[in-house]
Amino acid sequence: MDDKPANGRSGWKQNPAGVQKNILAVAMTEFAANGLSGARMDEIAAKTNTSKRMIYYYFGDKVGLYGRVLEEAYRQVRTGEQELELDHLSPVEALKLLAEFTFDHHSRHPDFIRIVMIENIHQGVYLEQSELIRLLNAGAIQKLEAICRRGREAGIFRDDVAPIELHWHISAMSFFNVSNRATFSRIFGNELFGAEGQNSLKNHLVEMIVALALKPDRRSRR
Amino acid sequence: MDDKPANGRSGWKQNPAGVQKNILAVAMTEFAANGLSGARMDEIAAKTNTSKRMIYYYFGDKVGLYGRVLEEAYRQVRTGEQELELDHLSPVEALKLLAEFTFDHHSRHPDFIRIVMIENIHQGVYLEQSELIRLLNAGAIQKLEAICRRGREAGIFRDDVAPIELHWHISAMSFFNVSNRATFSRIFGNELFGAEGQNSLKNHLVEMIVALALKPDRRSRR
DNA sequence: TAGCAAATTAACCGTTTCGTACAAAGTTGT
DNA sequence: ACAACTTTGTACGAAACGGTTAATTTGCTA
């Protein structure tokens, strides 16, 4: 019937980077969908192009794999953020664009949101163990610091609103929009999650953030 | 040494309601801490005053227990919310108080927040199965609807901001403040989570919400 | 007070699940 | 050619884990 050797092992290429990338991609989906405890190593293995043995070969154990997935999730979104160019805009326009971008960016990366939710359930203990994530996040707030500095130098931004607070507010609304969509929509309906609803929320977010940053006498009453 | 009969089965009282309450309380803590998959039935049983068998006797299986915990969590916070009395206040003052209250209320109920996070990880499928939760939540937005109606009738609130949107914004910031505290503080430090930081966030939330609800020409420039 | 359903206890069971052992072989750089 | 690294495949062990069986006590009520 078949004349290939008893084992089907001939004719493969070595590709460590590709194998790891494939495992990480599958694992991220599985962890995002089921959590750390809920994800199944056998299930992850089955969905990769490789075998369970290779997961343990490269990542040690389940927690090791989860840690790498966490790093990879942060790496992906932070990298995407860095491409945003704001220096050529006025402080207000830059702030608007940053808020809008963050809202959309989070919306485009639901798996990242879910991984962060899961990590928060675990009190952030795995995040803390990662040097890489601390480095990645160090730069996450620099754009906002630059905007605030410019806004203050121009005399139009308040002094008593810190960049970290603006970041907190922007993150809260952008994150919640994805993280709590399931329960919110099941309780209150879907109207906020269609195209118009999302646009309205985003516009309000921008409006609120700008109003918060500006000195009262600089706020337009448009 | 001891003269009790060989089995320790004598001398107990029947207390169905108390036993169930005890199980639910323990289970809520465990599910909040470890998630649905992460929580262990043996661990829950060990921390109750009763036995594992009783859990299955009253709640059927793990998912049944989780569903009841979910209901109980919603019941507790929604009941607390209902005690807030707003009708005697002006629309603006009522809105301020509601926002402040929500911020503090969420802060006081971290286990509820965590249960809702977990339920969102599971896409809200268990929430959907609960008639009770739908009933509880139906009233959750009525206070805001009343405030908005009064504000519009007085001519000071905008027409293009719906109650549900205000609710969304208030919830987002109040929820995120608890849900993402672990990762946020590990990345950016603890400064926002001390007494002063929390107060500042809360004040900004109130400020932003009021500004969003009011017509532009009604916003003070204080 | 006998009977019976509800409540409770303790020990047990079968499956799932993580991780490993074992055996073998192809690939790649030096 | 050689050695280290990478990949395949299967089977399996030990512990964890969800759930059950069987027997006993309590308390209501006829």
Side-chain angles (χ1 to χ4, degrees):
Chain A
M1 283 261 172
D2 67 64
D3 54 2
K4 75 187 174 193
N7 54 20
R9 283 182 185 174
S10 35
W12 50 274
K13 285 254 167 61
Q14 285 192 175
N15 186 11
V19 167
Q20 292 178 58
K21 192 174 164 186
N22 173 234
I23 292 171
L24 281 176
V26 172
M28 188 178 304
T29 307
E30 287 297 303
F31 281 126
N34 307 315
L36 173 51
S37 317
R40 299 284 162 246
M41 295 301 279
D42 286 318
E43 188 70 16
I44 293 172
K47 291 183 178 172
T48 62
N49 301 324
T50 177
S51 65
K52 186 163 73 154
R53 187 66 192 80
M54 291 310 288
I55 300 177
Y56 287 94
Y57 182 67
Y58 282 120
F59 300 99
D61 59 9
K62 193 183 191 180
V63 166
L65 177 60
Y66 171 78
R68 289 288 301 278
V69 164
L70 185 64
E71 287 187 340
E72 180 62 17
Y74 270 96
R75 208 183 53 69
Q76 283 175 17
V77 295
R78 294 302 185 216
T79 302
E81 282 173 4
Q82 281 168 7
E83 289 171 19
L84 189 64
E85 190 54 66
L86 298 171
D87 293 341
H88 62 294
L89 297 171
S90 73
V92 170
E93 288 304 315
L95 184 57
K96 282 184 180 175
L97 186 57
L98 179 64
E100 278 189 27
F101 174 84
T102 303
F103 188 90
D104 291 334
H105 195 56
H106 278 55
S107 198
R108 280 190 300 264
H109 291 89
D111 275 359
F112 166 73
I113 301 290
R114 296 172 66 82
I115 295 283
V116 174
M117 291 167 75
I118 288 160
E119 181 58 11
N120 271 290
I121 291 291
H122 294 286
Q123 314 278 15
V125 292
Y126 303 105
L127 180 142
E128 187 160 52
Q129 289 162 20
S130 167
E131 193 57 44
L132 173 63
I133 293 178
R134 242 193 302 276
L135 290 175
L136 284 169
N137 285 306
I141 209 176
Q142 285 173 354
K143 284 187 167 51
L144 209 37
E145 279 167 346
I147 293 171
C148 284
R149 186 175 33 72
R150 289 200 289 136
R152 280 183 200 169
E153 283 169 6
I156 57 176
F157 276 20
R158 292 164 63 169
D159 292 321
D160 65 334
V161 177
I164 184 110
E165 286 181 297
L166 289 177
H167 178 67
W168 187 95
H169 288 295
I170 295 171
S171 295
M173 292 185 265
S174 301
F175 194 97
F176 182 88
N177 184 48
V178 181
S179 68
N180 285 51
R181 186 169 296 198
T183 56
F184 201 97
S185 72
R186 283 179 202 264
I187 291 171
F188 298 110
N190 271 314
E191 58 175 314
L192 293 183
F193 302 107
E196 338 77 65
Q198 288 286 288
N199 239 304
S200 178
L201 289 176
K202 187 176 19 171
N203 290 338
H204 290 157
L205 161 61
V206 171
E207 213 177 288
M208 289 164 80
I209 291 294
V210 170
L212 182 62
L214 283 176
K215 287 182 175 173
D217 63 340
R218 290 307 185 126
R219 293 174 198 153
S220 82
R221 296 184 168 185
R222 154 186 39 96
Chain B
M1 287 263 174
D2 66 66
D3 53 3
K4 74 187 175 195
N7 55 16
R9 283 184 182 176
S10 35
W12 50 272
K13 286 255 166 62
Q14 291 192 5
N15 184 12
V19 167
Q20 290 178 61
K21 193 175 164 186
N22 174 233
I23 292 171
L24 279 177
V26 172
M28 188 177 307
T29 306
E30 287 297 303
F31 281 126
N34 307 103
L36 173 51
S37 316
R40 299 288 161 241
M41 295 301 280
D42 286 317
E43 189 69 16
I44 293 172
K47 291 182 178 171
T48 62
N49 301 323
T50 177
S51 66
K52 186 162 74 152
R53 186 63 187 83
M54 292 309 289
I55 300 176
Y56 288 93
Y57 182 67
Y58 282 121
F59 301 99
D61 58 9
K62 192 183 192 180
V63 166
L65 177 60
Y66 171 78
R68 289 287 301 279
V69 164
L70 185 64
E71 287 186 341
E72 180 62 18
Y74 269 97
R75 208 183 54 67
Q76 284 175 16
V77 295
R78 294 302 185 217
T79 301
E81 281 173 4
Q82 280 167 7
E83 289 169 19
L84 188 64
E85 190 53 68
L86 298 172
D87 293 341
H88 62 293
L89 296 172
S90 73
V92 170
E93 288 305 314
L95 185 57
K96 282 184 181 176
L97 186 57
L98 179 63
E100 278 188 27
F101 173 84
T102 303
F103 188 89
D104 291 333
H105 195 56
H106 278 56
S107 198
R108 280 191 299 264
H109 291 88
D111 275 359
F112 166 73
I113 301 291
R114 296 172 67 82
I115 296 283
V116 175
M117 290 166 76
I118 289 161
E119 181 58 12
N120 271 291
I121 291 289
H122 293 286
Q123 314 278 13
V125 293
Y126 303 105
L127 181 143
E128 187 159 53
Q129 290 162 19
S130 167
E131 193 57 43
L132 173 62
I133 293 178
R134 240 193 304 275
L135 290 175
L136 284 170
N137 284 305
I141 207 174
Q142 285 173 355
K143 285 186 167 50
L144 210 36
E145 279 167 345
I147 294 171
C148 284
R149 186 175 33 70
R150 290 198 288 136
R152 280 184 199 166
E153 283 169 7
I156 57 175
F157 276 19
R158 290 163 66 168
D159 293 320
D160 65 335
V161 176
I164 183 119
E165 287 181 297
L166 289 177
H167 179 67
W168 187 95
H169 288 295
I170 295 171
S171 294
M173 292 185 266
S174 301
F175 194 97
F176 182 87
N177 184 48
V178 181
S179 68
N180 286 50
R181 186 169 297 198
T183 55
F184 201 96
S185 71
R186 283 179 201 265
I187 291 171
F188 298 110
N190 270 315
E191 58 175 315
L192 293 182
F193 302 108
E196 339 77 64
Q198 288 285 286
N199 239 304
S200 177
L201 289 176
K202 188 179 11 173
N203 289 338
H204 289 157
L205 161 61
V206 171
E207 212 177 287
M208 288 164 81
I209 292 293
V210 171
L212 181 63
L214 284 176
K215 286 182 176 174
D217 63 339
R218 290 309 185 124
R219 294 176 199 153
S220 83
R221 295 184 168 185
R222 154 187 40 97

